[in-house]
Amino acid sequence: MRGRVGKPGQQASAGDLLALVRSGRATTRGALQQATGLSRATVGQRLDRLFRAGWLREGGGGPVDSPLGGRPSITLEFDDAHAVVLAADLDTRHARAAVLSLTGESLAEHTGVLLIEEGPDAVLGELGRWFARLLEEAGHRAHEVCGIGLAVPGPVDSDTGRVVQPPIMPGWDAYDIRGRLGRAFAEHAHGAVDVPVLVDNDANLMAYGEQRTAHPDCSAFVLVKVSTGIGAGVVVDGRIYRGVDGGAGDIGHIRVPEGAGAPCRCGSYGCLAAVASGGAVARRLAEAGVPAASGSDVRDLLAAGHPEAAALAREAGRRVGDVLATVVTLLNPGVLMIAGDLAGTPFLTGVRELLYQRALPRSTAHLDVVTSRLGERAGLIGAGSLVVEHLYAPERVEERLLALGV
């Protein structure tokens, strides 16, 4: 039997009630009383605060709370129209930004060239400009923004929001991304207020977005992004696993025998990314006289059915699959998702060939190897979800209600 909601020795807060409604576990006043053990009057007081904040609304009639019958109870719903989230996903050569509803619906979106090598000041300044324009396009005002989420292609210390020695982000190490992006948004959006800015690794946020959207019941989920570089995101029991300082999932810099002598952008030699990333495949194609400079160029060649690109992508998949055999054996995930520029049939075929050959049958017996459901929007959805889950966590709800004076 599921225990009562609330910390031991404490009554359930307004934030706990909101979490029950948002999750669908309790969506009527009577159900909230049962789940929390609170009196009818106390539940009413807690809900009144949430209504005054504009976070809850009444829906239609729900099930009858009493076994003796009576009128249907009124259902309670999270009001996802009271605010919007800004989200952006940075890659090495381009970026995608959007205005999202609190449930992840895209209200306005833009993709454009944005070179990460131009440095954080210029890139984040441009993102602030994009956000202001997208808000106007979506018909929303700056004061309606409750938070900003940003995905970056490097390891992130989640406590500070700063990248830590990123191999493919020159000039970004330890930079105050949160502060600069917040200021850039305020500079370009009239009426902007100070809002939280959350930053995380792109593979982490892609994994978070995909797991919550398509595989919510999977308790151990791994996503591998293969684009210009290679990274992995891990979601365990619905939470991103980051390691002690944000370095978890950086499989692109595992040394592999096939990479001996191959220089990597991190400054080392023999990394998986040096021989199996989209950037590595692009270099080999260029050496063969095929115009390709990045993972996105390889993606376009694969979409056009280019035979040499397909052969090299399959070979890269085999190399990544060899490393993933260890990952799968260690984590025992239910879903392994391949995403990014190379996530097509040739690469996936190569991954499966080596993965099932090298991993123990016990580790793959209940494993689904799949490709992305959300495609290029996975990082955006994950960034938006990260902001919403942060802002509407029970302990933060209480802080925010007090700040609102309700």
Side-chain angles (χ1 to χ4, degrees):
M1 182 176 177
R2 192 184 293 272
R4 291 275 169 86
V5 173
K7 293 181 180 179
Q10 295 182 9
Q11 287 190 327
S13 67
D16 291 319
L17 268 59
L18 183 63
L20 286 168
V21 173
R22 290 186 63 226
S23 68
R25 284 176 54 197
T27 57
T28 65
R29 288 168 172 81
L32 289 169
Q33 286 178 244
Q34 284 187 316
T36 61
L38 296 176
S39 69
R40 179 173 181 170
T42 303
V43 166
Q45 290 168 357
R46 303 272 198 274
L47 292 178
D48 182 60
R49 298 177 69 199
L50 296 171
F51 279 116
R52 282 189 285 150
W55 299 350
L56 274 188
R57 65 188 174 206
E58 291 186 340
V64 177
D65 284 336
S66 170
L68 300 177
R71 290 192 298 180
S73 55
I74 300 298
T75 59
L76 303 170
E77 300 173 351
F78 179 61
D79 188 345
D80 62 350
H82 72 267
V84 294
V85 174
L86 300 177
D89 185 6
L90 291 181
D91 210 329
T92 54
R93 295 162 60 90
H94 66 275
R96 183 180 295 263
V99 180
L100 303 175
S101 74
L102 297 181
T103 55
E105 178 190 357
S106 180
L107 306 176
E109 203 166 307
H110 173 71
T111 301
V113 174
L114 207 53
L115 303 178
I116 204 113
E117 63 188 21
E118 291 186 352
D121 188 61
V123 169
L124 298 174
E126 184 64 16
L127 271 184
R129 203 172 282 113
W130 288 10
F131 282 151
R133 190 168 66 244
L134 286 169
L135 265 178
E136 186 176 348
E137 182 182 325
H140 285 274
R141 298 178 181 235
H143 72 267
E144 296 176 78
V145 175
C146 65
I148 300 173
L150 177 65
V152 297
V156 177
D157 181 334
S158 60
D159 289 336
T160 65
R162 299 174 188 242
V163 292
V164 183
Q165 299 177 0
I168 58 175
M169 299 177 69
W172 289 73
D173 185 29
Y175 186 86
D176 181 17
I177 296 175
R178 289 176 178 171
R180 176 66 181 111
L181 186 53
R183 290 192 301 274
F185 172 56
E187 288 167 10
H188 297 289
H190 177 69
V193 295
D194 187 28
V195 295
V197 178
L198 300 185
V199 186
D200 210 329
N201 171 262
D202 55 356
N204 283 350
L205 292 180
M206 290 173 70
Y208 195 51
E210 293 277 7
Q211 188 271 338
R212 289 177 60 82
T213 301
H215 304 276
D217 297 326
C218 181
S219 60
F221 178 95
V222 176
L223 177 142
V224 178
K225 178 188 179 185
V226 187
S227 291
T228 299
I230 301 176
V234 180
V235 179
V236 177
D237 292 334
R239 295 177 178 271
I240 298 172
Y241 178 74
R242 299 181 175 90
V244 295
D245 63 1
D250 202 5
I251 64 171
H253 300 286
I254 293 175
R255 305 290 178 82
V256 293
E258 300 92 335
C264 182
R265 294 181 66 173
C266 72
S268 296
Y269 290 83
C271 296
L272 179 65
V275 294
S277 65
V281 172
R283 284 193 297 274
R284 292 188 63 182
L285 287 168
E287 289 167 1
V290 179
S294 67
S296 57
D297 292 335
V298 177
R299 178 193 61 207
D300 294 341
L301 288 167
L302 291 171
H306 193 283
E308 193 161 358
L312 289 174
R314 182 168 178 170
E315 181 184 332
R318 287 172 59 85
R319 288 171 170 168
V320 172
D322 197 8
V323 170
L324 290 179
T326 301
V327 172
V328 165
T329 302
L330 178 65
L331 296 178
N332 189 209
V335 175
L336 171 62
M337 179 174 284
I338 307 299
D341 292 330
L342 265 62
T345 299
F347 186 87
L348 192 63
T349 299
V351 167
R352 286 179 167 146
E353 285 174 356
L354 262 288
L355 173 62
Y356 288 107
Q357 178 183 325
R358 299 291 171 84
L360 292 172
R362 173 69 183 81
S363 301
T364 58
H366 301 98
L367 175 68
D368 289 330
V369 182
V370 300
T371 53
S372 171
R373 289 278 190 90
L374 298 175
E376 294 183 347
R377 301 188 65 251
L380 286 181
I381 299 301
S385 296
L386 187 72
V387 171
V388 172
E389 293 308 311
H390 171 80
L391 291 176
Y392 296 95
E395 64 277 7
R396 205 147 288 107
V397 163
E398 199 60 31
E399 295 172 6
R400 295 177 65 208
L401 289 174
L402 289 172
L404 289 171
V406 298

